[in-house]
Amino acid sequence: MTRSLLLAMKIIRLYGFIRRQLKSAEVVLARTMGLLMRIANRSITERKRIEQELRIAATAFETQDGMMITDRDKVILRVNRAFTESSGYGAEEVIGKSPQFFRSGYHEPAFYEDLWCQTKRQGYWRGEMYVRHKSGAVYPIWCSLAVVRGTDGTITNYVGTVSDMSRRKAAEKEIMELAFYDSLTKLGNRRLLMDRLQQALTVSRRTGGRGALLFIDLDNFKMLNDSAGHEIGDLLLQQVAKRLTNCAREGDTVARLGGDEFVVILTDLGPQIEHAARLAELIGERIRAALNAPYVLADQVHYSSPSIGATLFHAEHETVAELLRRADLAMYQAKAAGRNALCFFDPAMQRAITERAELESAMRLSLQRKEFVLHYQPQVCSDGKLIGAEALIRWQHPQRGLLAPCEFIPMAEDSGLIIPMGLQVLEMACQQLMEWSARSDLCNFTISVNVSARQLHQRDFVEQVLATLDRTGADPKRLKLELTESLLLDAVEDTIAKMTALRAHGVGFSLDDFGTGYSSLSYLKRLPLDQLKIDQSFVRSVLVDPNDAAIAQMIVALGQSMRLNVIAEGVETEEQRIFLSGCGCHAYQGYLFGRPMAPRSFETYLLGIGCDDARPKITRPGEQRCHPLGGRLLLPIAP
């Protein structure tokens, strides 16, 4: 019993031990299985990650940029599709070969030696190079090389990335041409010219050598454009550009400044001014001869000639703007010499231009200060009675005194100052009319005011005149506007409309300098004119030139037939007056009757101080007459 009990107890303990061991084994097994599962899952994840990275790498390899992988000996192992498309070779044609296979011959061997040395030393290289396409064409690429090293630091591979730069280069070239080259002639434009000229000046100062600037303008180019059309004109410009390029030496610059103006920069003319001038003249004459040769434009033969201005440069104080100005002045000197000529810059021209610029600046200031004044020249009829006066502008210059119109009117026309000047003249004349209207001896006088083409062509010219009359209170019927024949050449219909509008308010019109222009009689009969004025160039010679005498007679007859008054200007002798009177002209203006005078002097003149009569005396041939202000008349003197 006891033994049986002990045995049973041992069996129970053994069973309990076995159960505990089994339970512990289950735990270990479970842990082991869990570990194995985690390891298995980790392997799957790692494999997926590696596979994903390989897919990414493969995708990256097939980018739009060409890629090439070589071994450590620079033997090509693999290329992508972009590489084969840009190079023209298939993968099977390049794998196993060296990158030297693509060399274009554009670079020196030293270029490639430096390339590989830098790649090994720094681990990379980037730069531009030219390679050869399968077709044989050479084209630019941007290349990036990188080194791949193993765990021991040794080079295992080279990876190269290349991108075709042909389109980029073409775009850069196009941008460069748009920015620095003329689209019509393919010559350099103004921007390139200024840059090259500055470079030439810098080199000249550094080396002591001289250079020259040739400014070329085509004679009568506008006539070709107007007669044959701009297409023909463009063809001429293109052929001129080719001829200029052929005449220039290597290193010279040919540019189109604009329109029909070209510039050639000559460099390396040597240090001696005489030699440089002779060489510049030789090249200039070569250009002149080349541009004189006939042109074939749209199956038509055309002839053209250039006017060339030249200037040398060497001194350090010279600037690009100064050189261009000097060459331009020389070109205008060639124009003045009869065109188709080569002229070198004359320093006297520069002084004249400088004085002109100073005078223009002073003119602007004088307009603001109202330093311009009017003088009045009498207009008389055949019996000597004053019928009016012409208002003539004078400049009361602060330093130079009283200046005649010939000294500043051309400049005012060129600069556009004639417009505000004309308004001031109109204002002063209307104010004078208003003052004289209060005097019984002057109230019936008319004042003639010259109107420039620029002034008349202002859109609001009619409104300006009417506003001035309204502001001053002057009688429109006492105002006469003098127009020249040149005004009839442009915008005839507009001119007639403006004249008609002012005529409706009482303003009169006189056609000045008649016979010197090219006015059409068909237009003349439509103009609302009151008077024709015989130009003084005809009056001066009526006694000695039969042609001028015939023209004066014709103008008087024309005026009578059109029921227009006729007045002769520039009458300086009694013989001239008698001849004109015999032709039927009974109104005169000139030094025979009085010089242009300031308003107070004109009023004194009217009173006849120094003479017996208030009217100017009309003397017989051979008699002397007294100036109303005293003294003998000075004849002949142009007004």
Side-chain angles (χ1 to χ4, degrees):
M1 181 72 176
T2 302
R3 292 181 61 186
S4 299
L5 182 59
L6 290 172
L7 181 59
M9 291 178 66
K10 288 181 179 180
I11 292 172
I12 291 170
R13 285 197 295 271
L14 180 60
Y15 176 73
F17 175 75
I18 292 172
R19 285 191 62 185
R20 287 194 300 274
Q21 291 299 321
L22 289 173
K23 188 173 183 180
S24 176
E26 288 177 356
V27 172
V28 172
L29 180 61
R31 290 178 178 175
T32 302
M33 292 298 295
L35 180 61
L36 291 174
M37 290 296 294
R38 286 196 296 274
I39 292 174
N41 290 335
R42 187 178 301 170
S43 298
I44 294 172
T45 303
E46 185 68 18
R47 186 174 67 255
K48 289 181 178 179
R49 185 183 65 81
I50 293 172
E51 290 176 352
Q52 184 177 5
E53 290 179 353
L54 289 174
R55 284 195 299 272
I56 293 173
T59 302
F61 190 71
E62 294 296 341
T63 62
Q64 61 180 359
D65 289 333
M67 295 191 69
M68 172 184 65
I69 300 175
T70 73
D71 60 14
R72 69 177 67 188
D73 297 321
K74 306 183 190 69
V75 175
I76 299 175
L77 301 176
R78 186 176 178 185
V79 294
N80 67 354
R81 183 181 304 169
F83 185 93
T84 61
E85 290 176 352
S86 64
S87 67
Y89 291 99
E92 68 282 358
E93 296 179 275
V94 298
I95 292 177
K97 296 182 179 179
S98 169
Q100 294 183 5
F101 182 70
F102 302 103
R103 288 190 180 184
S104 62
Y106 183 87
H107 305 283
E108 297 292 334
F111 171 82
Y112 298 103
E113 293 176 5
D114 293 340
L115 181 154
W116 290 112
C117 287
Q118 181 178 332
T119 304
K120 291 179 181 179
R121 184 175 64 255
Q122 298 181 354
Y124 67 91
W125 180 89
R126 298 184 187 91
E128 181 181 328
M129 68 169 63
Y130 285 81
V131 295
R132 188 173 299 279
H133 192 269
K134 183 178 181 179
S135 64
V138 176
Y139 65 101
I141 63 169
W142 180 262
C143 179
S144 297
L145 289 176
V147 170
V148 179
R149 299 183 184 274
T151 56
D152 58 354
T154 60
I155 296 176
T156 61
N157 300 91
Y158 292 97
V159 177
T161 303
V162 297
S163 56
D164 189 346
M165 296 180 64
S166 299
R167 291 184 179 178
R168 176 181 170 183
K169 286 287 185 180
E172 289 176 353
K173 182 180 179 181
E174 183 177 0
I175 292 172
M176 180 69 70
E177 289 179 350
L178 291 173
F180 294 100
Y181 291 88
D182 174 54
S183 59
L184 177 65
T185 63
K186 309 306 178 185
L187 296 178
N189 60 12
R190 178 184 289 270
R191 180 181 295 179
L192 182 66
L193 169 68
M194 304 297 276
D195 182 68
R196 294 284 177 83
L197 189 52
Q198 185 61 60
Q199 291 180 24
L201 276 173
T202 303
V203 172
S204 177
R205 293 165 186 164
R206 185 175 65 250
T207 63
R210 295 182 182 274
L213 192 67
L214 302 181
F215 197 108
I216 303 159
D217 183 90
L218 302 182
D219 299 330
N220 301 316
F221 179 74
K222 185 178 184 299
M223 185 181 300
L224 174 67
N225 262 348
D226 293 342
S227 60
H230 290 277
E231 296 81 4
I232 300 299
D234 288 346
L235 292 176
L236 176 64
L237 294 176
Q238 290 172 338
Q239 293 192 28
V240 167
K242 292 179 181 178
R243 296 185 186 188
L244 288 175
T245 303
N246 293 334
C247 291
R249 307 165 304 160
E250 185 178 358
D252 294 338
T253 298
V254 182
R256 182 188 179 202
L257 195 59
D260 62 330
E261 295 178 336
F262 298 85
V263 174
V264 179
I265 304 174
L266 306 177
T267 56
D268 299 328
L269 299 182
Q272 300 300 323
I273 186 170
E274 295 83 3
H275 179 268
R278 284 197 302 270
L279 189 54
E281 183 180 16
L282 178 64
I283 298 173
E285 287 296 341
R286 184 195 307 164
I287 289 174
R288 192 177 70 86
L291 299 189
N292 269 277
Y295 300 83
V296 179
L297 309 175
D299 298 328
Q300 295 292 325
V301 177
H302 177 77
Y303 291 89
S304 179
S305 63
S307 294
I308 305 175
T311 185
L312 300 178
F313 58 85
H314 174 68
E316 292 190 3
H317 66 274
E318 291 170 334
T319 64
V320 169
E322 181 183 359
L323 288 178
L324 284 171
R325 183 169 58 251
R326 281 166 31 181
D328 188 35
L329 288 172
M331 183 272 294
Y332 278 106
Q333 189 178 13
K335 292 277 189 187
R339 294 187 166 92
N340 194 20
L342 168 66
C343 289
F344 277 79
F345 171 73
D346 181 2
M349 295 177 62
Q350 180 62 47
R351 289 193 297 271
I353 292 298
T354 301
E355 292 174 0
R356 179 184 176 90
E358 292 174 352
L359 197 63
E360 181 179 337
S361 178
M363 188 187 303
R364 294 181 184 276
L365 187 60
S366 291
L367 280 171
Q368 297 174 5
R369 295 175 176 175
K370 298 186 182 301
E371 294 175 346
F372 291 92
V373 297
L374 289 185
H375 283 199
Y376 297 91
Q377 186 171 30
Q379 296 176 335
V380 302
C381 59
S382 57
D383 62 355
K385 180 181 178 181
L386 270 78
I387 56 176
E390 180 179 2
L392 300 168
I393 190 171
R394 299 290 186 268
W395 184 2
Q396 192 63 54
H397 195 280
Q399 288 80 37
R400 298 173 56 183
L402 195 66
L403 300 182
C406 60
E407 298 188 57
F408 60 88
I409 289 296
M411 185 194 310
E413 290 278 5
D414 293 341
S415 63
L417 292 176
I418 194 67
I419 295 175
M421 185 180 293
L423 286 175
Q424 281 195 16
V425 168
L426 184 64
E427 183 86 18
M428 289 187 290
C430 288
Q431 288 176 351
Q432 191 63 65
L433 274 176
M434 191 60 188
E435 290 181 18
W436 284 350
S437 66
R439 294 183 48 168
S440 59
D441 55 343
L442 294 172
C443 62
N444 293 324
F445 279 10
T446 62
I447 292 182
S448 299
V449 177
N450 290 281
V451 176
S452 72
R454 285 197 175 193
Q455 191 178 359
L456 179 65
H457 292 156
Q458 291 291 299
R459 183 176 301 177
D460 57 345
F461 174 72
V462 173
E463 290 76 10
Q464 290 176 355
V465 175
L466 296 178
T468 302
L469 288 167
D470 184 64
R471 185 167 53 252
T472 59
D475 184 356
K477 296 179 181 179
R478 301 302 169 196
L479 177 64
K480 186 180 296 180
L481 301 183
E482 291 196 4
L483 312 178
T484 61
E485 280 193 86
S486 60
L487 291 176
L488 305 181
L489 299 179
D490 300 315
V492 177
E493 298 299 333
D494 181 63
T495 299
I496 293 174
K498 289 175 178 176
M499 291 175 65
T500 303
L502 290 173
R503 182 71 179 276
H505 288 81
V507 177
F509 289 92
S510 175
L511 189 58
D512 194 10
D513 302 336
F514 186 72
T516 61
Y518 304 94
S519 57
S520 168
L521 294 180
S522 63
Y523 287 127
L524 187 62
K525 69 179 182 180
R526 296 176 54 199
L527 294 173
L529 292 171
D530 300 277
Q531 186 181 73
L532 295 180
K533 202 169 192 180
I534 305 176
D535 186 66
Q536 61 180 341
S537 62
F538 303 125
V539 173
R540 187 178 297 117
S541 303
V542 290
L543 301 178
V544 296
D545 189 333
N547 292 325
D548 286 344
I551 291 174
Q553 292 174 334
M554 181 272 294
I555 294 175
V556 173
L558 180 64
Q560 292 173 347
S561 66
M562 298 182 67
R563 298 182 180 180
L564 298 175
N565 296 322
V566 179
I567 184 171
E569 66 174 348
V571 180
E572 297 176 346
T573 69
E574 180 65 12
E575 291 81 2
Q576 292 171 345
R577 185 198 67 80
I578 292 175
F579 175 85
L580 292 167
S581 177
C583 295
C585 178
H586 303 300
Y588 319 101
Q589 175 184 338
Y591 277 21
L592 179 62
F593 310 100
R595 296 173 175 240
M597 295 168 274
R600 297 306 173 198
S601 299
F602 186 88
E603 294 168 7
T604 305
Y605 167 88
L606 181 64
L607 295 176
I609 297 176
C611 292
D612 298 332
D613 195 344
R615 298 177 182 178
K617 282 187 176 293
I618 304 301
T619 58
R620 298 182 182 88
E623 294 182 345
Q624 294 181 345
R625 66 177 293 271
C626 174
H627 191 284
L629 298 183
R632 187 172 297 173
L633 285 175
L634 302 178
L635 303 175
I637 301 176

